[in-house]
Amino acid sequence: MGVSDRGAARRGARGGSALMGVLAIAAGIVIVMNLFKVSASLGQITADLGIGASTGSWLVTVCTVVAVVLVLPAGGLADRFGPKRVGLVGLACAALGSVAGALCTDIGPLLASRALEGVGYGVTGVVSPAIIAEAFPPERRGVPMAVWSCWMDLGMLAVLTVANLVIDPAVASSWKGLWWLCAVLTAAVAAVYALAVREGPRPDPGASGEAGGPRPLLAGALKSPATWVVSLVFFLYNVGVLSLLTLAPLYCQVQLGLGAAEANSCTSLLTIGMISGALATGLVLVRVRTLRGRIMLLAASMVLAAAVLGWAYVYTVDQIIPFMLLGGLALSIMPAVGFTIVPETPASPAFAGTAIGLFMLMGNLAGFGTPLVGALMESAPAVLSAALAAASLAGAALSLLLLRLMGGRPSAPGA
């Protein structure tokens, strides 16, 4: 093969990797659209089905509960059968759940359809980064993993945008149009995904299990201390960040006296900052290619998170805009770096899916602390800010432990 042929082959491989990365991220976006379509249409749903807002909130909660149960098994299945097959199952469940929901006229069947959509949410959150990890070598994962890290923000913005096109506030049943639209979009992504995503042979887990015997992929991944450490860092990060994303509008209303619309508008600046920061972090990761450098960046990101969260429930009205924009930029770094590192933490690439599953599980578990955080926000906001900052600093210390655990591993090729 000549030099030009080799160059063409490399360009073709990169083009294929880019397409797989785009499809993995697109799958995540449509899944999040399915998750948050309830938020965009809850007023119509409650009026159409004759239910209260508290009952309607279970339409999101049931998806989250199913996802928490499935993320770790989904990682093991992706390791064994390949992320493409498992990802297709997730997309199919989401599409079918959306179709079933559009046909519902009662809350019971609608909740059941949302549980089916929760399968898609739990599975896709694991297999999409696993596909990116398989498609890109470590030194080139920075940008796609950084874009992936803001999949929730991108999906939420997308569904809030398209909801205005299909929902008529005067027609209670118009929420079903959003369900049909999400079903069509999910099915379309699944069709392209099925045709275009390519997988190599499943990696050999190496010495796990006896020669010729079964290799317990799930147990093999969970034996890696580095995987547990980076997942615990993500847990500590999300304890503060998920509470901030959830409670910032309430803080602006209760503590600062803003109206609901103004509070929501101010909080949207946080999301804009996080998306912008994630994309900027991807560009930084193009330069920071060594594993050691990325772990140091992880530790620095947790220090920045501590600075933001120490300010999270004590800022004043005149500080809202700088807090939201600068806070979003600072808080976007950890997920972008964490998703890039976690596939390298297990002892073998064969365990990457399970490692990502544990990472996602710990991040989701952090959300169950939001009620406690909410109570502290109302009674002792300064104490809450200090506690969240301390948790992030503990995450920074754990990141340095990760450096010790993984310090002997080789740097990414081409660094």
Side-chain angles (χ1 to χ4, degrees), residues 28-29 31-37 39-40 150-163 245 271 275:
I29 290 173
I31 287 296
V32 173
M33 290 180 68
N34 279 281
L35 176 66
F36 286 110
K37 63 191 176 189
S39 302
C150 53
W151 66 305
M152 299 290 286
D153 302 313
L154 293 170
M156 182 180 290
L157 286 177
V159 76
L160 291 176
T161 300
V162 301
L245 290 171
T271 303
I275 293 174

Side-chain angles (χ1 to χ4, degrees), residues 76-394:
L77 291 171
D79 287 337
R80 186 173 293 275
F81 299 108
K84 176 181 178 178
R85 295 179 188 178
V86 180
L88 278 172
V89 171
L91 288 168
C93 286
L96 290 173
S98 197
V99 169
L103 299 174
C104 290
T105 57
D106 188 69
I107 185 62
L110 185 57
L111 283 169
S113 74
R114 291 293 288 170
L116 187 58
E117 291 182 62
V119 175
Y121 175 41
V123 165
T124 304
V126 176
V127 299
S128 281
I131 287 173
I132 293 171
E134 191 167 314
F136 294 85
E139 72 274 12
R140 292 181 52 226
R141 285 179 194 155
V143 171
M145 283 298 194
V147 177
W148 163 257
S149 72
C150 53
W151 66 305
M152 299 290 286
D153 302 313
L154 293 170
M156 182 180 290
L157 286 177
V159 76
L160 291 176
T161 300
V162 301
N164 293 331
L165 302 177
V166 296
I167 292 178
D168 183 349
V171 180
S173 63
S174 64
W175 63 271
K176 295 186 177 184
L178 185 57
W179 259 243
W180 284 114
L181 177 59
C182 286
V184 170
L185 290 174
T186 306
V189 170
V192 180
Y193 186 101
L195 294 172
V197 172
R198 297 287 182 265
E199 294 178 331
R202 305 314 309 145
D204 187 345
S208 63
E210 296 181 4
R215 294 184 173 94
L217 295 178
L218 184 62
L222 297 181
K223 289 179 180 178
S224 169
T227 301
W228 281 97
V229 169
V230 74
S231 298
L232 184 55
V233 173
F234 195 43
F235 172 83
L236 292 171
Y237 166 85
N238 272 332
V239 165
V241 173
L242 291 181
S243 73
L244 180 60
L245 290 171
T246 304
L247 298 174
L250 183 61
Y251 173 81
C252 289
Q253 294 175 65
V254 173
Q255 301 291 345
L256 303 183
L258 300 185
E262 189 177 5
N264 288 335
S265 297
C266 290
T267 305
S268 68
L269 297 176
L270 184 67
T271 303
I272 292 171
M274 293 188 76
I275 293 174
S276 303
L279 298 178
T281 303
L283 298 178
V284 171
L285 289 170
V286 171
R287 298 284 186 180
V288 182
R289 295 187 174 190
T290 66
L291 182 58
R292 178 181 178 84
R294 289 175 174 179
I295 293 174
M296 292 299 294
L297 186 58
L298 181 70
S301 73
M302 292 302 292
V303 174
L304 283 174
V308 172
L309 294 171
W311 190 17
Y313 296 104
V314 295
Y315 61 86
T316 59
V317 172
D318 60 330
Q319 297 171 341
I320 289 178
I321 293 178
F323 171 79
M324 293 297 179
L325 289 175
L326 295 177
L329 287 170
L331 294 174
S332 66
I333 301 172
M334 188 279 157
V337 180
F339 274 111
T340 304
I341 291 174
V342 70
E344 299 186 61
T345 58
S348 164
F351 303 140
T354 306
I356 294 169
L358 179 62
F359 187 75
M360 291 293 295
L361 173 62
M362 296 296 279
N364 287 333
L365 288 177
F368 288 98
T370 300
L372 174 60
V373 173
L376 285 173
M377 186 270 289
E378 293 181 329
S379 61
V383 173
L384 174 60
S385 291
L388 295 178
S392 293
L393 290 175

